[in-house]
């Protein structure tokens, strides 16, 4: 069974940077898309950035375009999220997800999740 493990969260001041990592372990891992999502208490989980696993297509939420970059290391079954120019509104629990759906780029069809990692940005 494949499991996803996130790391790299923490606390940072506004304007700072963090890089999140998500590594898959278990049997052969070959999703169609991988994504980073975030959730704050009382709200739904929103997509942040998505990448096609066997390709270079990337998709970003408008709120993070130009500040966040998603990239991957297929050989190590790891996907990263480089977050720059962080803002207090980026504070959330960040989740890594995997999708085997052709609609992965819409943020739908993600049925494998990591445990989440907290990101806190102070003003």
């Amino acid at each position: 069974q494949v499991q996803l493990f996130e790391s790299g969260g923490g606390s940072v001041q506004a304007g700072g940077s963090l890089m999140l990592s998500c590594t898959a372990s278990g049997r052969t891992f070959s999703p169609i898309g991988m994504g980073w999502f975030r959730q704050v208490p009382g709200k739904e989980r929103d997509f942040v950035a998505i990448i096609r696993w066997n390709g270079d297509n990337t998709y970003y939420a408008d709120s993070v375009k130009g500040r966040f970059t998603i990239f991957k290391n297929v050989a190590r079954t790891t996907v990263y999220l480089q977050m720059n120019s962080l803002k207090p509104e980026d504070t959330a629990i960040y989740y890594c997800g995997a999708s085997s759906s052709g609609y992965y780029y819409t943020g739908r069809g993600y049925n494998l999740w990591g445990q989440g990692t907290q990101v806190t940005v102070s003003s």
Side-chain angles (χ1 to χ4, degrees):
Q1 182 176 355
V2 177
Q3 292 182 297
L4 301 179
F5 297 93
E6 300 110 333
S7 62
S11 298
V12 65
Q13 289 191 327
S17 299
L18 285 172
M19 188 169 75
L20 307 182
S21 300
C22 172
T23 300
S25 67
R27 59 178 172 81
T28 302
F29 183 66
S30 185
I32 294 179
M34 291 286 292
W36 286 97
F37 297 73
R38 64 188 182 188
Q39 188 171 23
V40 297
K43 294 191 176 181
E44 292 185 353
R45 189 173 299 184
D46 294 325
F47 112 89
V48 175
I50 290 170
I51 189 166
R52 185 175 179 89
W53 194 242
N54 293 318
D56 298 323
N57 305 64
T58 56
Y59 308 87
Y60 295 92
D62 288 343
S63 59
V64 306
K65 282 180 181 177
R67 300 189 297 122
F68 291 10
T69 303
I70 186 170
F71 59 102
K72 64 187 187 293
N73 183 327
V74 175
R76 296 187 176 183
T77 59
T78 300
V79 62
Y80 304 90
L81 184 69
Q82 176 65 46
M83 304 186 294
N84 298 328
S85 302
L86 282 161
K87 304 176 181 180
E89 52 264 44
D90 294 319
T91 296
I93 298 175
Y94 283 70
Y95 296 90
C96 171
S99 173
S100 296
S101 167
Y103 294 102
Y104 73 95
Y105 56 92
T106 67
R108 293 182 289 170
Y110 286 76
N111 53 12
L112 179 64
W113 297 96
Q115 80 285 356
T117 185
Q118 177 71 47
V119 171
T120 303
V121 184
S122 58
S123 58

